[in-house]
Amino acid sequence: MPAVADEPLGLTVHSMPSPQTLGDASARRTVMGRWKMVAVLLMCAAPVIASYFTYYVIRPEGRRVYGELVEPQRPLPAWTVATRDGAPVSLASLKGQWLLVAVGDAACDKLCEQQLYLQRQLRESLGREKDRMDRVWLISDANPPPARLDNGLHGATVLRVPAAQLSQWLAPEAGHTLAEHLYVVDPMGNWMMRFPARMDAAGAARAKNDINRLLRASASWDEPGR
């Protein structure tokens, strides 16, 4: 048998990726990851944005909003405040519900009582939707509220927040005080509306219309309970 001559072994040499190529690929992955995170955040926020856009922009001609829109919205501060009995609680724990907020000192004069009455009536007037809105009274001093308020405050959240702190978050209309208004906070924890000072029964009826529209506009993403 004739001898077979040895043939040289052929080798294919593949070049290794350069550090610059690896760096570019890593940068692209980082950018793509960030864009994906932004897309997820936008998808989560879209229902909220859409509801506000529908309420404030795409609304029928002639509709008049009674409450004043707060721009920019002011998120609930990360404060530790006190319950009526003095127990510490996070103010941010109020997130997850629409809030109708009243402010006043513990003595609660005639104006304060009127505000708490309108606050209670507004929530009750929402019927089946009332469980989507909580009543909150923020007491601006350390004194005990009078016993005459106990029945009216049943079911309300009562917290003590010093006046100096309150003024860092809520703000009255020029020429008025915090105690003259009712305030609306959305379930995301943003103060977003202020009703006119010293609202009367006629004004409360218009405020109810505003609240009903807000609840309808947010029906796709907001549910009762935290």
Side-chain angles (χ1 to χ4, degrees), residues 61-193:
E61 290 299 324
R63 176 185 294 178
R64 299 186 61 185
V65 179
Y66 179 64
E68 180 183 355
L69 177 65
V70 176
E71 294 181 342
Q73 297 174 4
R74 300 188 186 184
L76 277 165
W79 296 335
T80 297
V81 296
T83 66
R84 182 175 176 176
D85 299 326
V89 64
S90 170
L91 191 63
S93 66
L94 296 177
K95 290 182 180 180
Q97 287 278 83
W98 285 97
L99 307 177
L100 187 58
V101 180
V103 176
D105 56 39
C108 198
D109 59 14
K110 185 176 180 179
L111 171 63
C112 169
E113 288 195 44
Q114 173 73 358
Q115 294 289 81
L116 293 178
Y117 170 77
L118 291 176
Q119 181 193 49
R120 185 171 66 254
Q121 293 301 104
L122 276 170
R123 181 180 181 273
E124 290 301 315
S125 70
L126 299 177
R128 292 182 302 174
E129 298 294 327
K130 69 180 183 180
D131 289 337
R132 292 173 58 194
M133 174 163 278
D134 286 350
R135 292 183 293 137
V136 179
W137 183 30
L138 301 180
I139 302 177
S140 57
D141 59 31
N143 297 320
R148 71 177 189 275
L149 299 179
D150 288 347
N151 286 337
L153 292 175
H154 180 72
T157 299
V158 180
L159 299 175
R160 297 184 183 277
V161 185
Q165 282 186 300
L166 280 174
S167 62
Q168 297 173 30
W169 177 44
L170 301 175
E173 184 182 352
H176 296 276
T177 65
L178 286 176
E180 294 180 71
H181 298 276
L182 291 179
Y183 308 87
V184 178
V185 178
D186 70 20
M188 309 296 288
N190 299 309
W191 168 41
M192 49 76 62
M193 182 177 282

Side-chain angles (χ1 to χ4, degrees), residues 185-212:
V185 178
D186 70 20
M188 309 296 288
N190 299 309
W191 168 41
M192 49 76 62
M193 182 177 282
R194 176 181 62 207
F195 289 123
R198 295 180 176 268
M199 185 168 58
D200 57 15
R206 298 178 62 187
K208 177 190 173 184
N209 291 334
D210 280 359
I211 293 172
N212 277 329

